[in-house]
Amino acid sequence: MSFQPTKADQAALDQFLETVLDAYKAGRADRNSCVGAIAHVMTAAAIDNETEFKNYIRLSEEQLFDFGD
């Protein structure tokens, strides 16, 4: 990752991880969906896709996981 996340990005990443883990713990998202969400963010960072990284970590739980609505 060559871009430098801001303090706001770091806070958003913390919130993203809490959201994913809480959704899994509560049974609102399955393991594969949670792993996929985390892998998506890690891949975006690894390939220096700053826009995708910053946008994805700011998605709500409803936007991260398809609840079939």
Side-chain angles (χ1 to χ4, degrees), residues 9-29 34 37-38 41 56-62 64-65:
D9 295 334
Q10 292 170 2
L13 180 58
D14 288 346
Q15 181 59 52
F16 165 80
L17 291 170
E18 289 175 18
T19 297
V20 171
L21 294 173
D22 287 347
Y24 178 72
K25 182 178 178 182
R28 294 188 302 270
C34 294
I38 294 168
V41 168
Y56 203 78
I57 62 174
R58 288 171 171 82
L59 294 176
S60 68
E61 182 178 322
E62 291 76 22
L64 286 169
F65 304 111

Side-chain angles (χ1 to χ4, degrees), residues 20-69:
V20 171
L21 294 173
D22 287 347
Y24 178 72
K25 182 178 178 182
R28 294 188 302 270
D30 65 21
R31 182 179 179 273
N32 289 339
S33 297
C34 294
V35 168
I38 294 168
H40 187 94
V41 168
M42 291 177 65
T43 301
I47 64 171
D48 292 326
N49 189 338
E50 183 175 3
T51 301
E52 182 65 11
F53 173 83
K54 289 183 177 214
N55 288 334
Y56 203 78
I57 62 174
R58 288 171 171 82
L59 294 176
S60 68
E61 182 178 322
E62 291 76 22
Q63 293 169 310
L64 286 169
F65 304 111
D66 179 11
F67 293 114
D69 295 340

